[in-house]
Amino acid sequence: MYNGFMACKRKISIIGSTGSIGTQALEVLEKLQDKFEIIALAGGDNIVLLKQQAQKFKPRYVVSRADNNGLERICSDKENDIILMAVSGKVGLKPTLTAIENGIDIALANKETLVMAGEIVMQRARENNVNIIPVDSEHSAIHQCVKDISQVDKLIITASGGPFLHKSTENVTVEQTLLHPRWKMGKKITVDSATLMNKGLEIIEAHHLFGFDYDKIEVVIHPQSIVHSAIEYKDGSVIAQLGLPSMHIPIQYALSYPERFEGIKSKSFSFTEAARLDFEKPDLAKFPALALAYEAGKTGGTAPAVLNAANEEAVYAFLEGKIKLNDIYKITEMALSSHNVIQNPTLDEILAIDAEVRIKIFS
Ligand code: MG
């Protein structure tokens, strides 16, 4: 639970400090050294960067990927007021649950956690009185717009459309796919943005975070990425959150919530500079991953975990040059259609199915 900033610093750890969100979070924290104390940093393969971060930010301890129990150690360290979960992929799930069980608030940038086990994660967060504050820009936008969720009728999630919005997705290279027009992100999420699977994972994430049915979660393509998402109240009033496309804002808000600090803010938003805001419907025939995600979400049970595992493995295969971009959704679709869905699965069932999908997918 939050104690507020009052006299003492908020104590924070970052899981995934060397990744895209982690490094941007440290840029945020560098400007807010009077507000935060860093307890621990957990990094990935980039040991050199992790060492540099440790020297600069002086956390009480760091853990590297080689340290098997490192993430569990951080997430059960009750010194933490909040943990930023900034790893990508399924590795975020177990540490998130550990932190929740220890009553530590989560700034959640790892969408796979909610896609795989959203019901369990949200249930345990409620039981342990833990706040799950979204870092994803769309969910942060909704979180910032909502005053009383019970008065909201619909969530409107915007999508940039990625690098192939009005271009063919046939025979595209990894390099073309990684050239995202608006956002600076890690490789996995950038590929997901190109297929719109990222938006698909986000609607499942939104379903769990805000408790909305899928037919009340709408996706709108907005290439300028200025409107980060919106909500429509029962009376038809629409509230949107706008800003320059920088992850610094949603990261900082997740850490400072419910307060706001000037922090890293580099530039004021100008309506006249933005000039145009365009919106269009997503093309589900060209981007079938989004339709697949809606379907998996509505099916519920283990279906979203299968969607996530198959997609994640297929994305890595694409990044290694083994398959084409359009094979990603085909592989995901096949994994879903050959899966017998379990409703209300346990965590162990989810993890077993996740592992099984990953093994079977290219065998
Ligand atoms: Mg997003």
Side-chain angles (χ1 to χ4, degrees), residues 111 136-138 198-199 202:
K111 60 190 65 168
D136 214 343
S137 61
E138 295 78 2
N198 182 51
K199 216 45 56 179
E202 286 177 359

Side-chain angles (χ1 to χ4, degrees), residues 58-332:
K58 302 190 171 46
R60 293 191 199 168
Y61 56 98
V62 295
V63 305
S64 72
R65 187 168 284 178
D67 184 354
N68 281 332
N69 286 318
L71 301 190
E72 288 297 310
R73 180 183 165 203
I74 294 176
C75 292
S76 44
D77 185 343
K78 293 188 182 184
E79 273 290 302
N80 289 297
D81 295 313
I82 186 165
I83 290 180
L84 172 62
M85 201 54 67
V87 285
S88 102
K90 67 162 181 172
V91 293
L93 176 56
K94 276 190 170 172
T96 299
L97 287 169
T98 302
I100 289 171
E101 267 141 36
N102 284 287
I104 302 164
D105 286 335
I106 308 280
L108 188 66
N110 174 271
K111 60 190 65 168
E112 290 84 353
T113 290
L114 288 179
V115 173
M116 287 175 74
E119 258 124 45
I120 295 171
V121 170
M122 296 308 290
Q123 173 69 25
R124 293 199 188 165
R126 279 189 294 273
E127 286 165 5
N128 289 283
N129 215 2
V130 159
N131 291 300
I132 308 267
I133 305 132
V135 172
D136 214 343
S137 61
E138 295 78 2
H139 308 79
S140 174
I142 292 168
H143 184 227
Q144 292 181 64
C145 291
V146 171
K147 252 195 204 162
D148 177 358
I149 195 86
S150 71
Q151 306 290 316
V152 178
D153 181 55
K154 192 169 78 175
L155 310 180
I156 302 151
I157 295 185
T158 53
S160 71
F164 307 123
L165 177 58
H166 297 130
K167 292 177 192 154
S168 171
T169 52
E170 296 288 337
N171 300 316
V172 295
T173 64
V174 171
E175 289 68 30
Q176 288 167 324
T177 305
L178 291 179
L179 278 178
H180 196 279
R182 298 284 166 199
W183 294 99
K184 171 193 157 203
M185 304 178 290
K187 282 184 184 177
K188 197 267 176 179
I189 185 173
T190 305
V191 176
D192 284 342
S193 294
T195 61
L196 290 203
M197 181 58 91
N198 182 51
K199 216 45 56 179
L201 300 176
E202 286 177 359
I203 58 166
I204 299 173
E205 194 183 3
H207 163 79
H208 292 296
L209 276 170
F210 304 109
F212 275 67
D213 286 342
Y214 287 94
D215 56 6
K216 292 286 185 184
I217 307 174
E218 187 182 314
V219 172
V220 176
I221 302 288
H222 168 45
Q224 291 92 354
S225 297
I226 294 295
V227 176
H228 298 309
S229 279
I231 56 174
E232 183 176 329
Y233 279 101
K234 286 174 181 171
D235 60 2
S237 179
V238 175
I239 312 271
Q241 187 259 341
L242 283 72
L244 296 169
S246 157
M247 281 309 293
H248 287 131
I249 298 169
I251 291 169
Q252 179 172 303
Y253 185 69
L255 305 184
S256 71
Y257 169 82
E259 293 193 53
R260 289 182 186 269
F261 304 124
E262 193 168 315
I264 202 167
K265 179 182 163 193
S266 54
K267 194 169 177 261
S268 269
F269 173 71
S270 158
F271 273 91
T272 49
E273 265 175 45
R276 280 187 61 151
L277 302 177
D278 296 308
F279 302 94
E280 59 186 270
K281 281 188 177 171
D283 181 344
L284 295 184
K286 185 177 163 189
F287 297 105
L290 182 56
L292 267 184
Y294 266 110
E295 201 183 301
K298 284 179 188 172
T299 303
T302 47
V306 172
L307 172 94
N308 177 65
N311 174 67
E312 194 174 326
E313 292 304 313
V315 167
Y316 294 141
F318 169 72
L319 285 170
E320 287 166 17
K322 292 177 183 163
I323 61 169
K324 292 181 178 178
L325 186 73
N326 285 336
D327 292 333
I328 297 174
Y329 86 83
K330 290 175 191 164
I331 288 166
T332 308

